[in-house]
Amino acid sequence: MSDINATGSNTTVSSGGLPSRRNTELALLVFAVLIPVFAYANVGLAMNDEMPSGMLGYGLGLGLMAAVGHLCVRRWAPYADPLLLPLVTLLNGFGLVLIWRLDQSPRLIRRAEDLFGAFTADAPKQLMYSAIGLALFIGILVLLKDHRVLQRYTYISMAVALVLLVMPMFFAPVNGARIWVNLGAFSIQPGEFAKIVIAIFFAGYLMVKRDALALASRRFMGLYLPRGRDLGPILAIWVLSLMILVFETDLGTSLLFFGLFVIMLYVATERTSWIVFGLLMSAGGAAAVATFEPHVQDRVQAWLHPFSEETMAQSDQIAQSLWAFGSGGTLGSGLGQGNSDLIGFAANSDFILATVGEELGLTGMMALLLVYGLVVERGIRISLAARDPFGKLLAVGLSGAFGLQVFVVAGGVMGLIPLTGMTMPFLAAGGSSVLANWALVAILLRISDTARRPAPAPTPSPDAEMTQVVRP
């Protein structure tokens, strides 16, 4: 016990003798709050030559959110991973700064007034959604005592996921894609929540079926080929992802949905052949749909020829984004001193990474992607530490979904893949995204707390205590 108590002031030693690392989390949260506050002041000085008037309120608000989140984790998940909460707090806080920076752009204000008659700032709404997301985060930690309870709802999760994925088909498309459900002034993007529900279903299903899916009938070119009857699940998921792509023209959700299944299938079976089949089927299906779906064709053409006259006549957003990355260089132009607001209405959602690339340069982009990579790494680490197969699959599914979303958004904005229209987790403006991702982090922390929590000490037997050994 003396060795554990000598670990230093950066850990909290529990009654069970294991460090809970809550003081480490608190110290990291201080930096996670100070960095966005410093960025906020930097933007104000660059744009208006004075400290922004709302700096104190922003700093206190973000600090209060971080403190409340930390106290709730300390109370209801004391053994959870100490890095996840500081990382997502940093991302959320920095996203608020970038959205506020774009809200100050005179060009965006004039364009909104010309198109919609009035301009509405997005930063206050994003702050409100962040607070609601934190409340959802706390609610999950309080109510979900054990993540294994979710296994009971495997097939209910499948039904809920199907409903969430089908709902946008009955509403009008937005910018060519049916990804929104609009009810008057209220709108929601069901695909953001569907990724969590789908991960729960996949984890429960694959935990039961993984042995059958891991069987191979023969070996071909170094790969284990699955039996024909075992191809059924992946074929069904492939068809469903194509239906989403055809009827909703939602490339991002389709890639996320199918990619998540392939990742979890590989982790459950340890068969490389599933990865090969998944990539081939994904590429073949996307190519087939692109031959007859106009919206997908437009996305592909804009990706292949972003500077062509035809593409520029329809939308110059991708071209403006690539110019922003190019002009940022290595160190960037400085926060508040770029021209990424020329991208237009999607500057603070789909293309918010262009602002990072231009104003913070390659260095800032690498730092930001490293933070996202750390979130995924901590999720995989939680999966490795989980004691039950359902928890392992669920943790790797949630972290895989998070990582896939980062890839498809960053890849689309940077021109690596066609643009998907999804939002960057925690960074871009969007209430559905921030709510869903706070819920995702809460489930990961619950799995981590269960994995690291020490086993309860065995209850001593009264009979054993009263037994005495008498020696002659």
Side-chain angles (χ1 to χ4, degrees), residues 18 20 26 46 74 83 86 99 138 154 235 243-244 250 258 286 327 348 380 443 456:
L18 293 176
S20 67
L26 180 61
R74 183 181 285 268
L83 291 183
I99 295 169
I138 295 171
T154 296
L235 290 175
M243 291 175 62
I244 296 172
D250 184 5
F258 187 71
S327 63
N348 61 5
I380 296 175
I443 298 174

Side-chain angles (χ1 to χ4, degrees), residues 15-301:
S15 58
L18 293 176
S20 67
R21 306 292 297 277
R22 297 278 65 83
N23 289 343
T24 302
E25 179 183 81
L26 180 61
L28 292 174
L29 278 171
V30 172
F31 288 99
V33 172
L34 289 179
I35 292 173
V37 170
F38 177 77
Y40 191 91
N42 199 342
V43 171
L45 290 171
M47 299 188 71
N48 304 313
D49 293 326
E50 61 182 10
M51 298 291 285
S53 58
M55 179 178 170
L56 180 61
Y58 169 75
L60 291 176
L62 186 61
L64 180 62
M65 287 177 56
V68 170
H70 168 73
L71 291 175
C72 290
V73 172
R74 183 181 285 268
R75 171 65 178 83
W76 285 290
Y79 297 94
D81 185 274
L83 291 183
L84 269 180
L85 184 60
L87 289 172
V88 299
T89 300
L90 174 60
L91 290 172
N92 202 163
F94 188 59
L96 288 169
V97 173
L98 294 178
I99 295 169
W100 177 78
R101 175 261 178 275
L102 292 169
D103 282 344
Q104 310 306 306
S105 168
R107 283 183 291 224
L108 283 180
I109 295 175
R110 286 195 300 269
R111 182 174 296 185
E113 290 174 346
D114 293 340
L115 293 177
F116 309 109
F119 171 76
T120 303
D122 287 319
K125 293 188 295 183
Q126 186 72 1
L127 181 60
M128 178 190 68
Y129 287 131
S130 300
I132 297 173
L134 180 64
L136 179 61
F137 169 87
I138 295 171
I140 291 174
L141 288 181
V142 173
L143 299 177
L144 185 63
K145 304 296 184 182
D146 192 334
H147 66 275
R148 288 168 289 192
V149 174
L150 298 175
Q151 186 181 347
R152 304 175 186 172
Y153 307 101
T154 296
Y155 292 99
I156 295 177
S157 299
M158 177 186 67
V160 173
L162 290 176
V163 171
L164 291 174
L165 292 173
V166 170
M167 282 174 63
M169 292 174 56
F170 301 98
F171 293 85
V174 178
N175 300 322
R178 298 179 184 271
I179 59 176
W180 291 95
V181 172
N182 298 302
L183 301 173
F186 176 76
S187 62
I188 188 173
Q189 194 172 351
E192 292 286 347
F193 300 94
K195 66 186 179 186
I196 300 176
V197 184
I198 289 172
I200 295 173
F201 164 65
F202 286 164
Y205 175 80
L206 292 174
M207 192 192 72
V208 177
K209 302 292 185 180
R210 59 179 178 176
D211 290 336
L213 293 171
L215 295 176
S217 58
R218 59 186 177 276
R219 186 180 177 92
F220 178 72
M221 296 182 64
L223 297 175
Y224 287 99
L225 299 180
R227 298 178 301 182
R229 63 189 180 193
D230 294 329
L231 283 174
I234 195 170
L235 290 175
I237 300 299
W238 178 65
V239 171
L240 185 56
S241 66
L242 289 185
M243 291 175 62
I244 296 172
L245 186 57
V246 171
F247 293 105
E248 299 182 7
T249 60
D250 184 5
L251 182 60
T253 302
S254 178
L255 288 174
L256 179 63
F257 179 51
F258 187 71
L260 174 61
F261 180 71
V262 173
I263 289 174
M264 296 184 69
L265 187 60
Y266 170 71
V267 172
T269 62
E270 300 181 6
R271 296 295 188 190
T272 310
S273 54
W274 287 115
I275 296 289
V276 176
F277 284 128
L279 292 175
L280 292 176
M281 294 174 69
S282 178
V289 173
T291 58
F292 63 86
E293 177 55 52
H295 181 70
V296 177
Q297 290 176 355
D298 292 341
R299 289 285 176 94
V300 173
Q301 290 301 316

